Amino acid sequence: MLEIYKSEEINKNSAAKGAVKKIHKVVPIEEITDDCWINLYSPTESEIARVENALGIPQEFLRYPLDEEERPRIDVDDDTDIHLIIVDIPYSQRENDIISYDTTPLGIIITERNIVTVSLKETPILDHLIENRIKDLFIPFRTRFTIQILLGVAREYLRLLRFIDKTLEASEVKLAKEISNKELYKLLELSKSLVYFTSSLKSNEAVLEKLMRGRTIKLYDEDEDLLEDVVIEYKQAHEMADIYANIVSSTTDAYASIINNNVNDIMKIMTAATICLTIPDLIGSFFGQNCPMPWDDSFAANPMPFIGLTLACVCSFFIAAIILRKNKML
């Protein structure tokens, strides 16, 4: 999908009487022009070729972000002085009533007169820009526009991490009542998601540190202040991901120990019951064949063997149960 946007200046009435304030609004356009923003997600070959021919962007710069295994980094084409910034952005997906989280590359290409974003998936992060939810958004200020995209990525990480925290709390409440495989699968997915987040945030921080040096892209004073805020947001997200990953790991280990203890208790009870039932069976096996049963003709003349055998079995059962109970096996 190929989308083209441009900043348009509009007049807005302010609170003061008769005062008019000029603001910039992102609006869609049809053709590629100077000072426009081109958003590519899941692009076709023809869309890639159109952007490449119109802006002279190296083809590999447009294709690098479409590789799911591409790592965050900064690249510069010396011939055209076009900059490529790749960062990992988060997204969520639902499968069988279980929400999982992963990351995918987002490429930001900065040319002399334009800015291009390339990704495999449509991302809600850029929707905030398209819907004019960001203050002081002006596409021709390409450096600031890039930093605002990075800020949106950081805030999306924080939003999903807060949702992960709520999901973790809900799973803990359910597991406290009853340990189920479904909740354990949720914890497993959360653990995997947090590993992806931690790895991506660490790589994104390396990209931001390189931007902070100001050697790749020229930074103005206001840009430096905004970039510092972005770095703080990323560090906070990284710390939150580490904390939640440790919580999930410890929670999983705790419930694994609980499950093992429950299994051990069941096996202990089964073993004790087997012992209690084995002793009477052992006694009966010695005398059963030669002992007259109540339905035999000889039982009335000699009932004592059957009565003695029955009493011995019952007594042995209770004696074994008492001994096992004192040893805390029952």
Short mmCIF file of all heavy atoms in Angstrom, two decimals, residues 112-138:
data_model
loop_
_atom_site.label_atom_id
_atom_site.label_comp_id
_atom_site.label_asym_id
_atom_site.label_seq_id
_atom_site.Cartn_x
_atom_site.Cartn_y
_atom_site.Cartn_z
N GLU A 112 16.70 14.43 0.61
CA GLU A 112 16.93 15.88 0.68
C GLU A 112 15.63 16.66 0.81
O GLU A 112 15.57 17.69 1.47
CB GLU A 112 17.70 16.35 -0.57
CG GLU A 112 18.08 17.82 -0.53
CD GLU A 112 18.85 18.23 -1.76
OE1 GLU A 112 19.16 17.36 -2.60
OE2 GLU A 112 19.15 19.44 -1.89
N ARG A 113 14.55 16.15 0.19
CA ARG A 113 13.29 16.89 0.19
C ARG A 113 12.09 16.07 0.67
O ARG A 113 10.98 16.60 0.71
CB ARG A 113 12.98 17.40 -1.23
CG ARG A 113 14.04 18.31 -1.83
CD ARG A 113 14.11 19.63 -1.09
NE ARG A 113 12.86 20.39 -1.21
CZ ARG A 113 12.63 21.52 -0.58
NH1 ARG A 113 13.55 22.03 0.24
NH2 ARG A 113 11.48 22.16 -0.73
N ASN A 114 12.29 14.81 1.02
CA ASN A 114 11.16 13.95 1.38
C ASN A 114 11.53 13.00 2.51
O ASN A 114 12.71 12.85 2.86
CB ASN A 114 10.71 13.12 0.17
CG ASN A 114 10.28 13.96 -1.01
OD1 ASN A 114 11.10 14.29 -1.85
ND2 ASN A 114 9.01 14.31 -1.06
N ILE A 115 10.51 12.37 3.05
CA ILE A 115 10.70 11.33 4.04
C ILE A 115 9.80 10.15 3.68
O ILE A 115 8.65 10.34 3.25
CB ILE A 115 10.41 11.85 5.46
CG1 ILE A 115 10.79 10.80 6.50
CG2 ILE A 115 8.95 12.25 5.63
CD1 ILE A 115 10.87 11.35 7.92
N VAL A 116 10.35 8.94 3.81
CA VAL A 116 9.63 7.73 3.42
C VAL A 116 9.67 6.76 4.59
O VAL A 116 10.72 6.57 5.22
CB VAL A 116 10.26 7.07 2.17
CG1 VAL A 116 9.47 5.84 1.75
CG2 VAL A 116 10.36 8.07 1.02
N THR A 117 8.53 6.14 4.90
CA THR A 117 8.47 5.07 5.91
C THR A 117 8.08 3.77 5.21
O THR A 117 7.18 3.76 4.36
CB THR A 117 7.46 5.39 7.02
OG1 THR A 117 6.18 5.68 6.45
CG2 THR A 117 7.93 6.58 7.85
N VAL A 118 8.77 2.70 5.57
CA VAL A 118 8.55 1.39 4.93
C VAL A 118 8.40 0.34 6.03
O VAL A 118 9.22 0.28 6.95
CB VAL A 118 9.73 1.00 4.00
CG1 VAL A 118 9.39 -0.25 3.21
CG2 VAL A 118 10.09 2.15 3.08
N SER A 119 7.36 -0.48 5.90
CA SER A 119 7.15 -1.56 6.87
C SER A 119 6.37 -2.69 6.22
O SER A 119 5.71 -2.50 5.19
CB SER A 119 6.41 -1.06 8.11
OG SER A 119 5.12 -0.59 7.77
N LEU A 120 6.45 -3.86 6.84
CA LEU A 120 5.72 -5.01 6.34
C LEU A 120 4.25 -4.96 6.71
O LEU A 120 3.40 -5.48 5.99
CB LEU A 120 6.33 -6.31 6.90
CG LEU A 120 7.42 -6.98 6.08
CD1 LEU A 120 7.99 -8.16 6.86
CD2 LEU A 120 6.89 -7.45 4.75
N LYS A 121 3.95 -4.35 7.85
CA LYS A 121 2.59 -4.34 8.36
C LYS A 121 2.11 -2.91 8.55
O LYS A 121 2.90 -2.00 8.80
CB LYS A 121 2.52 -5.08 9.71
CG LYS A 121 3.03 -6.51 9.67
CD LYS A 121 3.01 -7.14 11.05
CE LYS A 121 3.58 -8.53 11.03
NZ LYS A 121 2.70 -9.46 10.27
N GLU A 122 0.81 -2.74 8.47
CA GLU A 122 0.22 -1.45 8.80
C GLU A 122 0.30 -1.27 10.31
O GLU A 122 -0.07 -2.16 11.08
CB GLU A 122 -1.23 -1.39 8.34
CG GLU A 122 -1.88 -0.04 8.55
CD GLU A 122 -3.30 -0.01 8.04
OE1 GLU A 122 -3.81 -1.09 7.66
OE2 GLU A 122 -3.88 1.09 8.01
N THR A 123 0.80 -0.14 10.74
CA THR A 123 1.03 0.07 12.17
C THR A 123 0.19 1.22 12.70
O THR A 123 0.07 2.26 12.05
CB THR A 123 2.52 0.34 12.44
OG1 THR A 123 2.69 0.77 13.79
CG2 THR A 123 3.06 1.41 11.52
N PRO A 124 -0.42 1.06 13.88
CA PRO A 124 -1.19 2.16 14.48
C PRO A 124 -0.32 3.32 14.93
O PRO A 124 -0.82 4.41 15.21
CB PRO A 124 -1.88 1.49 15.67
CG PRO A 124 -1.04 0.30 16.00
CD PRO A 124 -0.49 -0.16 14.68
N ILE A 125 0.99 3.10 15.00
CA ILE A 125 1.90 4.16 15.43
C ILE A 125 1.83 5.34 14.46
O ILE A 125 1.78 6.50 14.86
CB ILE A 125 3.34 3.62 15.53
CG1 ILE A 125 3.42 2.52 16.59
CG2 ILE A 125 4.33 4.73 15.83
CD1 ILE A 125 4.71 1.75 16.57
N LEU A 126 1.81 5.03 13.17
CA LEU A 126 1.77 6.09 12.16
C LEU A 126 0.38 6.68 12.03
O LEU A 126 0.23 7.79 11.51
CB LEU A 126 2.25 5.54 10.81
CG LEU A 126 3.68 4.99 10.79
CD1 LEU A 126 4.03 4.47 9.41
CD2 LEU A 126 4.68 6.06 11.23
N ASP A 127 -0.64 5.96 12.48
CA ASP A 127 -2.00 6.50 12.43
C ASP A 127 -2.13 7.77 13.26
O ASP A 127 -2.92 8.66 12.94
CB ASP A 127 -3.01 5.46 12.92
CG ASP A 127 -3.14 4.29 11.93
OD1 ASP A 127 -2.72 4.46 10.77
OD2 ASP A 127 -3.65 3.23 12.33
N HIS A 128 -1.36 7.85 14.36
CA HIS A 128 -1.39 9.05 15.19
C HIS A 128 -0.91 10.27 14.41
O HIS A 128 -1.39 11.39 14.61
CB HIS A 128 -0.53 8.86 16.44
CG HIS A 128 -1.10 7.88 17.41
ND1 HIS A 128 -1.02 6.51 17.22
CD2 HIS A 128 -1.78 8.05 18.57
CE1 HIS A 128 -1.62 5.90 18.23
NE2 HIS A 128 -2.09 6.80 19.05
N LEU A 129 0.04 10.04 13.52
CA LEU A 129 0.54 11.14 12.69
C LEU A 129 -0.47 11.50 11.61
O LEU A 129 -0.72 12.67 11.33
CB LEU A 129 1.88 10.76 12.07
CG LEU A 129 2.98 10.27 13.02
CD1 LEU A 129 4.22 9.88 12.23
CD2 LEU A 129 3.32 11.34 14.04
N ILE A 130 -1.03 10.45 10.98
CA ILE A 130 -1.97 10.67 9.89
C ILE A 130 -3.22 11.39 10.38
O ILE A 130 -3.79 12.25 9.69
CB ILE A 130 -2.34 9.32 9.24
CG1 ILE A 130 -1.08 8.68 8.59
CG2 ILE A 130 -3.44 9.50 8.20
CD1 ILE A 130 -1.29 7.26 8.13
N GLU A 131 -3.65 11.04 11.60
CA GLU A 131 -4.89 11.62 12.15
C GLU A 131 -4.63 12.92 12.92
O GLU A 131 -5.53 13.40 13.63
CB GLU A 131 -5.56 10.59 13.05
CG GLU A 131 -6.01 9.35 12.29
CD GLU A 131 -6.45 8.23 13.22
OE1 GLU A 131 -6.45 8.46 14.45
OE2 GLU A 131 -6.79 7.14 12.72
N ASN A 132 -3.41 13.46 12.81
CA ASN A 132 -3.06 14.76 13.40
C ASN A 132 -3.25 14.78 14.93
O ASN A 132 -3.78 15.73 15.50
CB ASN A 132 -3.90 15.87 12.75
CG ASN A 132 -3.58 16.07 11.29
OD1 ASN A 132 -2.56 16.65 10.92
ND2 ASN A 132 -4.46 15.54 10.43
N ARG A 133 -2.83 13.72 15.58
CA ARG A 133 -2.90 13.68 17.04
C ARG A 133 -1.61 14.20 17.69
O ARG A 133 -1.54 14.31 18.90
CB ARG A 133 -3.15 12.25 17.51
CG ARG A 133 -4.44 11.63 16.99
CD ARG A 133 -4.61 10.24 17.55
NE ARG A 133 -5.68 9.50 16.88
CZ ARG A 133 -5.94 8.23 17.11
NH1 ARG A 133 -5.23 7.56 18.01
NH2 ARG A 133 -6.91 7.62 16.46
N ILE A 134 -0.61 14.48 16.87
CA ILE A 134 0.69 14.92 17.39
C ILE A 134 0.80 16.44 17.20
O ILE A 134 0.54 16.96 16.11
CB ILE A 134 1.85 14.21 16.67
CG1 ILE A 134 1.65 12.69 16.70
CG2 ILE A 134 3.18 14.58 17.31
CD1 ILE A 134 1.62 12.10 18.07
N LYS A 135 1.22 17.13 18.25
CA LYS A 135 1.40 18.57 18.17
C LYS A 135 2.68 18.92 17.40
O LYS A 135 3.65 18.17 17.39
CB LYS A 135 1.48 19.17 19.58
CG LYS A 135 0.15 19.16 20.33
CD LYS A 135 0.30 19.85 21.67
CE LYS A 135 -1.02 19.91 22.41
NZ LYS A 135 -0.89 20.61 23.71
N ASP A 136 2.66 20.10 16.81
CA ASP A 136 3.83 20.64 16.10
C ASP A 136 4.36 19.67 15.05
O ASP A 136 5.57 19.48 14.90
CB ASP A 136 4.95 20.98 17.10
CG ASP A 136 4.50 21.96 18.15
OD1 ASP A 136 3.70 22.86 17.82
OD2 ASP A 136 4.95 21.84 19.32
N LEU A 137 3.44 19.05 14.33
CA LEU A 137 3.84 18.10 13.29
C LEU A 137 3.94 18.83 11.96
O LEU A 137 2.95 19.38 11.45
CB LEU A 137 2.81 16.97 13.21
CG LEU A 137 3.16 15.80 12.29
CD1 LEU A 137 4.41 15.09 12.79
CD2 LEU A 137 1.99 14.83 12.20
N PHE A 138 5.16 18.85 11.41
CA PHE A 138 5.40 19.55 10.16
C PHE A 138 6.35 18.71 9.34
O PHE A 138 7.53 18.55 9.68
CB PHE A 138 5.98 20.95 10.44
CG PHE A 138 6.04 21.83 9.23
CD1 PHE A 138 4.95 21.99 8.37
CD2 PHE A 138 7.20 22.54 8.94
CE1 PHE A 138 5.02 22.81 7.27
CE2 PHE A 138 7.27 23.37 7.83
CZ PHE A 138 6.18 23.50 7.00
#
